[in-house]
Amino acid sequence: GCNKGFRQFQKWLREEEPYDIIIDGANVGFNNQNHEGGHFQYNQIDTVLKHFQALGQRTLLVLHPKWLREDADLSVVRRKRRKFDQVS
């Protein structure tokens, strides 16, 4: 099930005027960062947000509060991928 905060967000979103663009901040922040030393890029989010605002688009940025904490781990976590022949 959904947590209370997310349900409140869903209710708020239903009551708002429609947005032209909804930006998933975490995906934008980590875009093209899957390399050694890659990390969350706030400037990428800012660039995308400003782009759509400049076009006059009603824009909503969705970003979990954990990415705004001073102690947030902004590094890219590389997960080990299983090879296809290992799947049974």
Side-chain angles (χ1 to χ4, degrees):
C2 298
N3 67 32
K4 183 179 177 183
F6 187 66
R7 285 192 306 269
Q8 288 174 333
F9 171 72
Q10 288 174 313
K11 181 180 184 297
W12 174 83
L13 191 57
R14 281 192 301 273
E15 295 169 355
E16 284 289 302
E17 292 291 322
Y19 287 90
D20 300 309
I21 303 292
I22 299 176
I23 298 170
D24 178 347
N27 277 324
V28 172
F30 278 118
N31 188 51
N32 292 321
Q33 295 304 306
N34 192 14
H35 56 81
E36 188 67 36
H39 63 280
F40 196 84
Q41 298 286 325
Y42 293 103
N43 63 325
Q44 291 180 171
I45 297 170
D46 192 49
T47 299
V48 170
L49 186 61
K50 285 180 179 176
H51 169 79
F52 288 111
Q53 288 175 333
L55 295 174
Q57 301 290 304
R58 182 167 156 82
T59 308
L60 174 65
L61 171 64
V62 179
L63 186 62
H64 193 281
K66 72 180 180 181
W67 299 115
L68 303 175
R69 293 192 340 233
E70 284 189 35
D71 64 342
D73 180 4
L74 303 179
S75 60
V76 174
V77 176
R78 295 190 136 204
R79 292 188 174 92
K80 201 173 186 181
R81 294 185 177 175
R82 296 190 317 178
K83 294 180 182 175
F84 286 116
D85 61 8
Q86 292 176 333
V87 178
S88 52

